[in-house]
Amino acid sequence: MERRRKQIVELINEKGQVGFAQLVKSFPDVSEMTLRNDLKFLDANRLIIRIHGGARSLDTVIDIDDPLHKRISKNNEKKQEIAKKAVRLIHPRGAIFLDSGSTMIELAKIFPDERCKIFTVGVPCTMELARLKSVDVHVFGGRLKRESLSISGVKTLQEIENVNFNLAIIGVTGYCRGKGFCCSSEERCEINRAVMRRAEKVMVLMDSQKVGKSDTYILADSQDIDILISDHDLDREIQEDLEQKGVEVY
């Protein structure tokens, strides 16, 4: 029993959110009643959070970024696919904002060495961009968040208000129809909102597994973004719905 419940927690933490049907499929030799009792126990012991139709990881509702070392190891192939798509669509010019996060690191690794200015709050992104000779890299000041190795705070917001961006490349932690694009961190949400207000064009990078996940803070609606880049597993209905709302989806 303990081993099974540990496996359930690991599955939920890996996926962020798991439907009950997926749990049943993942544990075919366990009865639905037993699985429901497992979820009740794990929720009561604050190891997961039960929701209608399944369960969510604690990380999706706590106002901190998932530790970066955990996110880097998740869905790495999809992140690389998204980064390669983004590079083909980016025409380096003027000022570009590059968000923090594991997908942004993959993009920074292959960003073209062409003349432009890149502003970022991601420390690992800065290290990857340091190889470029034609790119003028700017790091916003503020407080270091150790979990995500990103910069945030009042000083960060103040500095953002002094810059006009030609392109903002933003990461999100979830997307739901009717709720929009979400963030788990209030500070990160405030920073990205400020960037988006000062950007000519907004590009969101999001892997397909984040569809259907609703996090604590609403970052943007479909009308607030211009381009969504995801992987080949993005639900076709979601893609068509966003395209009908004027979002270019790749």
Side-chain angles (χ1 to χ4, degrees):
M1 179 187 297
E2 289 182 6
R3 181 182 177 186
R4 183 183 67 248
R5 287 175 173 173
K6 181 180 179 181
Q7 290 174 336
I8 291 173
V9 172
E10 289 174 350
L11 175 63
I12 294 170
N13 285 339
E14 178 185 353
K15 301 294 184 182
Q17 180 171 319
V18 174
F20 189 71
Q22 187 176 355
L23 273 179
V24 172
K25 186 177 180 180
S26 299
F27 298 89
D29 299 328
V30 182
S31 69
E32 292 189 12
M33 180 63 72
T34 298
L35 287 174
R36 293 187 193 280
N37 287 335
D38 286 341
L39 292 183
K40 289 180 182 178
F41 173 85
L42 295 172
D43 179 77
N45 285 272
R46 299 183 178 181
L47 296 172
I48 55 99
I49 295 174
R50 290 179 68 204
I51 60 173
H52 179 69
R56 295 177 64 184
S57 165
L58 289 175
D59 290 342
T60 65
V61 294
I62 297 175
D63 183 24
I64 59 172
D65 287 329
D66 211 9
L68 185 62
H69 69 87
K70 287 174 60 178
R71 284 183 283 134
I72 285 176
S73 62
K74 291 181 181 178
N75 306 321
N76 201 45
E77 290 184 1
K78 292 186 176 182
K79 292 170 184 175
Q80 291 174 354
E81 178 188 349
I82 292 169
K84 289 176 182 177
K85 284 185 180 182
V87 162
R88 290 195 292 268
L89 293 170
I90 294 171
H91 304 289
R93 64 181 181 86
I96 298 173
F97 174 81
L98 187 63
D99 197 3
S100 63
S102 53
T103 305
M104 302 298 162
I105 295 173
E106 294 300 327
L107 176 55
K109 287 179 181 179
I110 59 173
F111 202 91
D113 194 4
E114 299 180 28
R115 189 172 180 179
C116 66
K117 294 182 177 68
I118 295 183
F119 295 79
T120 186
V121 291
V123 176
C125 290
T126 305
M127 296 171 66
E128 295 293 344
L129 294 169
R131 66 183 171 80
L132 304 176
K133 301 186 184 305
S134 300
V135 176
D136 191 7
V137 182
H138 299 255
V139 185
F140 287 115
R143 178 173 56 86
L144 175 68
K145 297 188 72 174
R146 290 180 176 83
E147 297 87 359
S148 59
L149 293 178
S150 62
I151 307 298
S152 64
V154 174
K155 184 177 181 181
T156 315
L157 289 169
Q158 290 173 340
E159 292 186 8
I160 287 171
E161 292 300 327
N162 291 320
V163 182
N164 291 318
F165 304 100
N166 298 99
L167 174 66
I169 307 174
I170 304 293
V172 297
T173 56
Y175 172 77
C176 285
R177 282 183 179 177
K179 293 184 179 179
F181 297 91
C182 309
C183 280
S184 59
S185 166
E186 184 176 18
E187 287 184 322
R188 183 179 177 191
C189 197
E190 288 180 354
I191 286 170
N192 285 345
R193 283 177 186 159
V195 169
M196 291 167 66
R197 286 194 298 268
R198 305 200 64 83
E200 293 178 3
K201 183 176 288 188
V202 176
M203 174 187 289
V204 169
L205 309 188
M206 178 187 76
D207 72 69
S208 58
Q209 292 194 353
K210 292 177 180 176
V211 173
K213 293 183 180 180
S214 177
D215 249 323
T216 311
Y217 301 97
I218 303 299
L219 171 63
D221 198 355
S222 55
Q223 65 187 16
D224 301 313
I225 75 167
D226 301 289
I227 300 171
L228 171 68
I229 301 181
S230 190
D231 56 80
H232 63 277
D233 289 327
L234 181 67
D235 184 84
R236 184 65 186 174
E237 290 186 9
I238 293 294
Q239 179 174 342
E240 291 175 351
D241 180 62
L242 288 169
E243 287 176 340
Q244 289 175 1
K245 295 175 180 176
V247 180
E248 297 178 35
V249 182
Y250 297 91

